[in-house]
Amino acid sequence: MPTINTNDEILDLNSNQADRQKMKDYWVKHSQFASIQEMLLDSNAEEISDNELPEILSFLPSFKSKRVLELGAGIGRFTRVLAQQAEHVVAVDFIEKFIDKNRELNDDMNNIEFMVGDATKVSFPHQSFNMIFSNWLLMYLNDTEILELIKNSLHFLKEGGYFFLRESCFHASGNIKNAQENPTVYRSPTAYVDFFQSKVIEQNDADYGFELVFARPNRTYIEMKNNSNQVCFLFQKVKLQTHHGFKTVKEFFDHKQYSLKSILRYEKIFGYGYVSTGGEETTDFFLQTLELKPGMRVLDVGCGIGGGDFLMSEKYGVEVFGLDLSSNMIGVCWDRAQNYKNSKVRFEIGDVTKHEYPTGYFDYIYSRDSLLHIPNKRQLFNKFKLWLKPGGKVFFSDYICGPKPWSNEFHVYVEQRGYDLLTLDEYESILKDTDFINIKKEDKTALFIDYLHKELKNFIEQKDEFVKEFSIQDYNYLVDGWEEKLVSCELGHQKYGIFYAEKKNL
Amino acid sequence: MKLITHNMLTSKILKNVVTGYPLKIHAVKAELKKADFQPDFIARMIKKIDYKTLYQAAETLGYAEGMPKTEILNEEDMNNEETLKKLHEVLLEIEVIEGDLECPETGRKFPINNGIPNMLVNEEEL
């Protein structure tokens, strides 16, 4: 995890000034023609731009009749489309030549105001915008400037307002050679998530902060350049409230069940790369039954730390989109993906119930022990159906339950974790209701119990090593949890099922 | 620069500046560009702007005649079609093409060229 210094006092003016001058020199040099090739630093710029513009727009929350602030507006690749829906757009860039060009191109729109200014230093009244839009801006700022910008943005935005950003992460993606003087900071996407979630401001006696809505790679760059390092982020300004001692639900999620430490803790019991039952062995076994073929596109819902996705892509040549709500989990995936350079795996943070993909985008939707977190399965399967190609397939394993009444312990277990458990037959009937065909279901509780025993046995054997790395409390927590699951299985409350279904062909 | 923009600009970022608002307008060249009148838009907008600042800005440019001379607009003004038309002109049709904006506290000037205000500041000024 990158560390962030949120202490404004250590702001080093000299280095800031040097950074800024370097960046300005760079852009003045690359603003000679105020052209799209310069903005994208890529000679295929126009083709890329035509494809990605609609995609980026599709990521934005509705901004019809809203007030938009566009930071780093450049020559206006986005300014015009923003202004076509927005009530009013303020377009800011610190290169005069770019803003002049932007105005020249968009002068016929009378709801755009142009301004030469530095994104980190412009000042607007509090709560005056519904959305802040930026494309390739924060990657040119240093950490101190980013934190300043985030703080200012929290002030400028209304409650519920959004900040959209798109950045090049990990490494450069353009094909114009500029390595020498390029002032860009290619950060891990985790760094941006951490920056945004680290700032809190006080406004009208309440605390406000940014909550992550999603972080996802740009599909256009994936499809045209097999590059998944162009990451789009959407944050929402929310009033911070207390959820179990945490300010937001997501924080609760990220800190409690799936905090980074507990993820690594789970990994010790499930095996490297896995946080679900049976680890690589069951994954490998299930994958063999799926008839995956090279070139297929798979969505993994609740992909965890991605072990199954790397395996799937490397062994079967499929392209995988791994989606998880936990930024800690995806943070691990992003880091590890750098070690699997040849696999076609993309990772995104997002809530599957709010996330969107194009219609008919996937050949397969795959999920392991994750749907239990989602209350409205009907709605979920309807989304799956939309995202699948005709004839596309679904495979998932999940915790299921036996008929009620349950023991008190099992009630508490389910409630504490916020699980929504169905029986084998209930799952089947929802798949039927949502128009899936060739449905197959199988109770795999026996296999599940086998693995619980195996995992527990292995785990107990490495007790000393584990306790040294974590703690005896962590050790006991996991052993208790596994024993609890075994008891629930014994009582017939907890079960394990696998499901297969197909979307109808046209 | 339209007056709707002027209405939200400040020079607060400058060292030792407390409010930096409103910025004084020095116009060398201003134009009136016709724009479609949308009464709903103006009615919504007018609630979000600082009316006193708008009035002063219009006065500086010689366009205040016909605007209600008050600090805060009342309900009646906001529903009056003639008033809204006037406010439409002031907010969206008047454009300062050349000139500058002056910080009320330090006198620092921000140039307006080709209708675009330049709010860039140097590190030494922060």
Side-chain angles (χ1 to χ4, degrees):
Chain A
M1 296 280 283
T3 52
I4 294 175
N5 208 327
T6 50
N7 184 349
D8 293 344
E9 283 166 31
I10 62 135
L11 188 146
D12 181 344
L13 277 178
N14 290 328
S15 90
N16 251 2
Q17 203 169 338
D19 285 355
R20 181 42 49 98
Q21 196 49 49
K22 192 174 161 199
M23 178 169 125
K24 187 149 187 188
D25 292 346
Y26 174 80
W27 279 110
V28 166
K29 187 172 165 192
H30 287 276
S31 67
Q32 292 174 6
F33 306 104
S35 71
I36 198 161
Q37 283 76 11
E38 283 177 332
M39 301 305 290
L40 274 75
L41 303 173
D42 196 297
S43 49
N44 302 323
E46 276 174 52
E47 197 191 343
I48 295 173
S49 180
D50 284 351
N51 282 285
E52 75 155 15
L53 200 101
E55 185 194 352
I56 291 199
L57 283 178
S58 77
F59 288 161
L60 301 179
S62 165
F63 56 99
K64 199 173 167 6
S65 307
K66 304 279 187 193
R67 301 187 64 156
V68 176
L69 171 62
E70 187 187 13
L71 296 175
I75 59 170
R77 243 175 13 109
F78 293 99
T79 312
R80 190 177 192 85
V81 287
L82 291 172
Q84 280 164 347
Q85 288 185 52
E87 178 177 82
H88 189 245
V89 176
V90 177
V92 182
D93 202 285
F94 83 131
I95 300 292
E96 203 171 341
K97 207 160 180 170
F98 285 159
I99 280 289
D100 280 344
K101 181 74 179 177
N102 193 331
R103 187 194 156 108
E104 189 189 311
L105 294 171
N106 296 312
D107 207 23
D108 56 314
M109 308 282 295
N110 60 20
N111 61 339
I112 308 173
E113 279 293 282
F114 301 94
M115 196 187 299
V116 181
D118 187 320
T120 61
K121 300 188 178 67
V122 285
S123 174
F124 298 100
H126 289 182
Q127 304 174 63
S128 50
F129 294 99
N130 303 92
M131 179 169 82
I132 297 176
F133 177 92
S134 71
N135 185 64
W136 287 321
L137 171 68
L138 278 70
M139 59 199 254
Y140 298 116
L141 305 179
N142 67 33
D143 295 1
T144 315
E145 289 170 326
I146 289 182
L147 289 168
E148 191 63 22
L149 171 64
I150 291 170
K151 192 180 78 189
N152 292 341
S153 303
L154 278 170
H155 284 292
F156 304 160
L157 281 174
K158 291 171 191 288
E159 181 175 347
Y162 292 94
F163 194 130
F164 175 89
L165 59 148
R166 176 272 189 91
E167 307 296 337
S168 293
C169 294
F170 300 116
H171 54 74
S173 54
N175 62 9
I176 291 177
K177 288 268 176 284
N178 56 8
Q180 282 308 304
E181 75 276 35
N182 186 346
T184 316
V185 191
Y186 297 104
R187 298 179 176 89
S188 150
T190 311
Y192 290 108
V193 175
D194 289 345
F195 281 137
F196 272 82
Q197 296 190 338
S198 70
K199 277 279 171 200
V200 174
I201 62 151
E202 205 188 304
Q203 206 164 51
N204 308 329
D205 294 326
D207 287 337
Y208 290 90
F210 278 120
E211 190 166 82
L212 179 68
V213 180
F214 64 69
R216 60 192 301 178
N218 184 315
R219 290 189 306 271
T220 305
Y221 272 72
I222 292 174
E223 285 160 25
M224 297 181 69
K225 306 179 69 146
N226 190 29
N227 170 341
S228 40
N229 298 332
Q230 291 297 311
V231 184
C232 297
F233 303 81
L234 185 69
F235 293 93
Q236 187 172 28
K237 176 181 172 180
V238 293
K239 193 186 263 184
L240 301 176
Q241 281 149 351
T242 305
H243 295 280
H244 311 278
F246 292 98
K247 285 197 158 174
T248 66
V249 179
K250 219 183 143 298
E251 254 186 50
F252 161 68
F253 209 53
D254 273 344
H255 280 88
K256 210 174 170 196
Q257 193 173 2
Y258 297 122
S259 74
L260 188 64
K261 195 170 163 224
S262 74
I263 292 168
L264 302 176
R265 196 175 62 173
Y266 275 115
E267 204 178 14
K268 288 285 168 197
I269 201 159
F270 290 123
Y272 184 81
Y274 293 87
V275 287
S276 66
T277 302
E280 183 154 331
E281 265 180 55
T282 52
T283 300
D284 199 26
F285 173 73
F286 290 143
L287 288 179
Q288 285 173 30
T289 66
L290 301 187
E291 299 180 329
L292 293 171
K293 293 184 184 67
M296 279 186 166
R297 189 183 282 139
V298 182
L299 171 64
D300 182 356
V301 176
C303 67
I305 51 177
D309 305 319
F310 295 123
L311 178 71
M312 214 185 297
S313 178
E314 303 228 310
K315 197 162 171 187
Y316 298 95
V318 293
E319 178 186 12
V320 186
F321 282 70
L323 172 67
D324 207 288
L325 180 63
S326 161
S327 46
N328 286 332
M329 297 261 199
I330 296 296
V332 172
C333 295
W334 280 331
D335 285 347
R336 293 188 183 169
Q338 304 303 305
N339 305 326
Y340 296 87
K341 291 269 186 236
N342 297 320
S343 64
K344 291 186 166 183
V345 187
R346 346 288 180 188
F347 292 105
E348 3 196 281
I349 304 170
D351 179 342
V352 65
T353 65
K354 295 175 191 154
H355 220 62
E356 288 303 339
Y357 291 101
T359 304
Y361 197 66
F362 294 104
D363 298 283
Y364 231 115
I365 296 181
Y366 172 90
S367 174
R368 297 296 308 282
D369 309 357
S370 298
L371 305 188
L372 72 170
H373 291 292
I374 297 154
N376 193 339
K377 261 81 164 176
R378 210 169 289 268
Q379 204 178 46
L380 181 73
F381 291 154
N382 276 321
K383 289 188 98 167
F384 284 4
K385 212 172 58 189
L386 202 66
W387 298 339
L388 281 171
K389 295 177 183 171
K393 295 158 185 162
V394 176
F395 172 85
F396 64 90
S397 69
D398 205 10
Y399 288 20
I400 51 176
C401 62
K404 289 182 182 175
W406 296 340
S407 67
N408 269 342
E409 288 79 4
F410 193 63
H411 267 294
V412 171
Y413 168 83
V414 168
E415 205 155 292
Q416 266 181 355
R417 286 169 165 76
Y419 290 166
D420 180 79
L421 300 184
L422 300 178
T423 64
L424 198 69
D425 292 345
E426 283 169 340
Y427 250 133
E428 182 190 32
S429 77
I430 295 179
L431 281 166
K432 248 183 217 161
D433 287 354
T434 42
D435 234 12
F436 278 96
I437 56 166
N438 294 337
I439 301 165
K440 290 173 195 144
K441 56 170 181 176
E442 201 176 333
D443 186 321
K444 285 279 183 192
T445 314
L447 182 83
F448 183 68
I449 293 175
D450 271 359
Y451 274 100
L452 287 177
H453 280 300
K454 255 194 228 173
E455 283 161 356
L456 190 59
K457 187 169 163 283
N458 284 338
F459 187 63
I460 290 171
E461 278 167 12
Q462 47 163 333
K463 177 178 178 181
D464 294 345
E465 197 188 323
F466 181 89
V467 171
K468 222 184 274 172
E469 198 175 333
F470 297 91
S471 71
I472 187 74
Q473 285 81 10
D474 286 316
Y475 176 82
N476 289 336
Y477 174 84
L478 287 177
V479 170
D480 289 351
W482 255 244
E483 283 171 349
E484 212 177 338
K485 276 191 250 187
L486 280 167
V487 171
S488 303
C489 287
E490 206 67 37
L491 292 171
H493 298 326
Q494 175 152 4
K495 291 167 178 284
Y496 193 75
I498 58 171
F499 300 85
Y500 171 90
E502 291 171 13
K503 174 178 168 171
K504 281 181 190 161
N505 250 312
L506 285 178
Chain B
M1 183 200 70
K2 297 184 179 112
L3 294 190
I4 189 174
T5 304
H6 169 257
N7 207 273
M8 56 182 172
L9 291 179
T10 80
S11 54
K12 206 175 159 184
I13 188 77
L14 297 173
K15 203 193 301 182
N16 300 329
V17 168
V18 184
T19 45
Y21 186 87
L23 299 172
K24 289 183 207 162
I25 302 176
H26 303 286
V28 176
K29 185 181 166 199
E31 283 175 3
L32 201 64
K33 289 186 183 171
K34 282 287 161 205
D36 290 342
F37 173 53
Q38 292 164 304
D40 296 351
F41 175 74
I42 298 299
R44 263 204 315 276
M45 213 44 136
I46 204 74
K47 290 182 191 144
K48 297 173 187 169
I49 63 146
D50 184 314
Y51 184 74
K52 192 178 160 190
T53 297
L54 181 69
Y55 185 89
Q56 282 170 356
E59 200 171 35
T60 310
L61 298 174
Y63 284 94
E65 204 186 315
M67 287 175 79
K69 197 174 178 181
T70 167
E71 296 218 339
I72 301 162
L73 281 186
N74 59 34
E75 231 11 73
E76 199 183 317
D77 289 327
M78 288 189 207
N79 291 319
N80 180 323
E81 170 108 2
E82 280 311 301
T83 306
L84 289 180
K85 268 191 186 152
K86 178 64 195 175
L87 293 172
H88 164 75
E89 178 193 89
V90 174
L91 279 169
L92 298 176
E93 295 190 330
I94 301 171
E95 173 131 36
V96 180
I97 307 293
E98 303 292 334
D100 54 54
L101 295 167
E102 186 188 322
C103 167
E105 293 164 49
T106 63
R108 157 70 149 96
K109 286 182 176 167
F110 298 93
I112 303 168
N113 297 318
N114 191 25
I116 302 170
N118 187 330
M119 303 304 290
L120 287 178
V121 288
N122 299 320
E123 290 289 338
E124 307 85 73
E125 299 177 274
L126 301 176

